[in-house]
Amino acid sequence: MLRRLYTFCKRYKTASVALFLILGVSLVALLAYPLASDRSPDANMMIVELSARPPGYTKTFLKVPREQTVTQPGWLQRTLTGTPADYRLLPINGWVKIRDGVQVRHYIDEGMEDVQVYSFKTLGLTSREATADKLLVKKKFLLGTDRYGRDIYSRLLIGARVSIGVGLVSVVLSLFIGILLGTLSGWYGGWVDYLVMWLVNILWAIPTLLLVFAITLTIGKGFWEIFIAIGLTSWVSAARLIRGQVLQLKEMDFIVAAKALGLKDMRIIFRHILPNIAGPITVIAASNFATAILVEAGLSFLGIGVQPPTPSWGLMIKEHYNFLIAGNPVLALIPGIAIMLLVLAFNILGNAVRDMLDVRN
């Protein structure tokens, strides 16, 4: 396995870069919360005073406990869904300890601040415990903040889960349905082929987005619903391609010989047909993965995909596309570049795997 991977990387250098990019994004998606600087669920900690700050922005905050105590989940749930914050962050320009509490200069905007006083009881500390390391936290926003003051870096990491997830679900559904119907259509022909191709042609005539709209309106809008909707519309191209490959292979001598030996249809399909079309299946899988990412981003941009506050790269573009002409294009460009690189990586990898599996090379 390692030798094949080494040979692949040595022969297809561009594809190896694409492969490591995909693996890196997948690993980031899996470990999004441990890697994020904002580990609250959906990285949705809003600091409205810090709206649309540039990359690298740094600020000091006073930790103000919430009125209700938050139950902290176990490590597995923290990794999967984040850690609810038991305090809110108040941006400050400075602070001083007074007799019964602390007085802070609350940062509102550049050149604007007001003075606020918090008692030790409100902060959940005694006078002796009220030290800088327990009262304050300094945060650096690597990619800046969005229009609601949320950390773009954290939301970008967690948004990778949506892109990778929708691609996986779409590929599994589309390949399962496409291989099943395409193989049956190409192998048996007759009324089976007519029925499958009639269904394929009907669905092919409907624009993908409209079909996804219809399925979404039927099963609802949500995280898993949009994944299933995209998967159920992606099998058409797979079925048509696999049907054509099966029609070619079943007339070849080794398939005719297998029939003459009396081998069952299922054995011929699984042992001789499908292994010989692994290349085209890999290409269509990579293509469906990339298409699913683009469709999900488009649906989220239109407001019928993944719903807020769940971070999605398409939703991040929707929330900040107007900043392209407002002097802060980074807010929309960062998720757009992420989508472009991931889609490009899948297309490059799919083409390289096709060339590697092509028996004529």
Side-chain angles (χ1 to χ4, degrees):
M1 182 66 182
L2 292 177
R3 180 177 294 180
R4 289 184 178 180
L5 180 61
Y6 174 76
T7 304
F8 176 81
C9 294
K10 186 176 180 181
R11 184 177 179 183
Y12 304 98
K13 294 183 174 58
T14 305
S16 64
V17 175
L19 174 62
F20 286 116
L21 176 62
I22 293 170
L23 293 177
V25 174
S26 302
L27 184 62
V28 165
L30 182 64
L31 302 175
Y33 281 107
L35 295 174
S37 54
D38 179 4
R39 298 178 182 176
S40 62
D42 296 324
N44 195 41
M45 184 178 287
M46 298 184 184
I47 309 172
V48 293
E49 297 93 337
L50 303 183
S51 173
R53 299 302 174 185
Y57 185 82
T58 303
K59 197 65 184 175
T60 302
F61 301 89
L62 176 71
K63 296 190 292 185
V64 182
R66 300 187 183 276
E67 295 180 358
Q68 296 181 347
T69 303
V70 178
T71 303
Q72 296 300 327
W75 69 269
L76 180 59
Q77 188 175 350
R78 290 199 302 269
T79 301
L80 296 177
T81 62
T83 306
D86 53 5
Y87 57 84
R88 63 183 180 90
L89 297 178
L90 184 76
I92 62 173
N93 287 333
W95 72 289
V96 61
K97 185 185 290 188
I98 57 179
R99 180 178 179 182
D100 297 322
V102 295
Q103 178 179 291
V104 298
R105 290 159 41 215
H106 174 210
Y107 172 86
I108 300 176
D109 203 345
E110 295 298 331
M112 296 179 62
E113 62 180 39
D114 66 350
V115 176
Q116 296 186 10
V117 176
Y118 290 88
S119 66
F120 294 128
K121 183 179 180 180
T122 301
L123 298 175
L125 301 170
T126 64
S127 177
R128 181 175 298 181
E129 293 174 336
T131 57
D133 59 329
K134 293 187 177 181
L135 287 171
L136 308 178
V137 61
K138 192 172 185 179
K139 290 177 64 70
K140 183 176 183 179
F141 300 93
L142 295 177
L143 298 178
T145 62
D146 65 8
R147 64 190 305 175
Y148 302 107
R150 298 173 297 194
D151 184 23
I152 292 179
Y153 166 74
S154 300
R155 291 182 64 79
L156 190 71
L157 296 185
I158 300 171
R161 288 186 170 187
V162 175
S163 294
I164 296 297
V166 72
L168 286 175
V169 173
S170 172
V171 166
V172 170
L173 281 176
S174 65
L175 288 186
F176 176 77
I177 300 174
I179 290 175
L180 176 63
L181 296 183
T183 303
L184 293 177
S185 174
W187 182 257
Y188 291 105
W191 68 268
V192 177
D193 183 36
Y194 176 82
L195 181 62
V196 171
M197 291 311 299
W198 176 82
L199 181 60
V200 166
N201 291 330
I202 291 295
L203 295 178
W204 200 280
I206 304 174
T208 303
L209 282 179
L210 291 181
L211 191 57
V212 174
F213 288 168
I215 297 176
T216 303
L217 292 175
T218 302
I219 65 177
K221 295 187 293 185
F223 189 81
W224 292 107
E225 287 82 356
I226 196 65
F227 287 9
I228 295 173
I230 295 175
L232 291 177
T233 59
S234 304
W235 64 268
V236 179
S237 57
R240 195 162 194 166
L241 174 66
I242 292 170
R243 171 186 175 271
Q245 295 292 320
V246 173
L247 286 175
Q248 292 180 8
L249 284 175
K250 76 175 186 178
E251 302 298 333
M252 299 186 71
D253 293 341
F254 71 98
I255 299 296
V256 175
K259 290 181 180 179
L261 291 173
L263 298 182
K264 294 182 179 180
D265 291 345
M266 289 299 103
R267 182 176 180 182
I268 296 176
I269 290 173
F270 284 101
R271 295 290 298 272
H272 301 286
I273 296 290
L274 293 182
N276 280 281
I277 59 174
I281 290 177
T282 303
V283 174
I284 201 67
S287 176
N288 283 354
F289 210 117
T291 302
I293 294 173
L294 289 176
V295 172
E296 184 280 323
L299 293 174
S300 296
F301 183 83
L302 295 174
I304 61 173
V306 176
Q307 299 299 300
T310 303
S312 161
W313 291 348
L315 186 59
M316 292 173 69
I317 297 176
K318 176 195 175 184
E319 293 174 343
H320 304 104
Y321 72 93
N322 55 337
F323 282 85
L324 290 171
I325 57 175
N328 194 2
V330 174
L331 298 178
L333 289 179
I334 289 177
I337 292 173
I339 294 172
M340 180 193 71
L341 291 177
L342 190 57
V343 170
L344 179 63
F346 273 107
N347 287 328
I348 292 175
L349 182 62
N351 291 335
V353 173
R354 176 200 61 195
D355 295 341
M356 183 181 68
L357 296 178
D358 193 341
V359 295
R360 293 171 295 181
N361 289 342

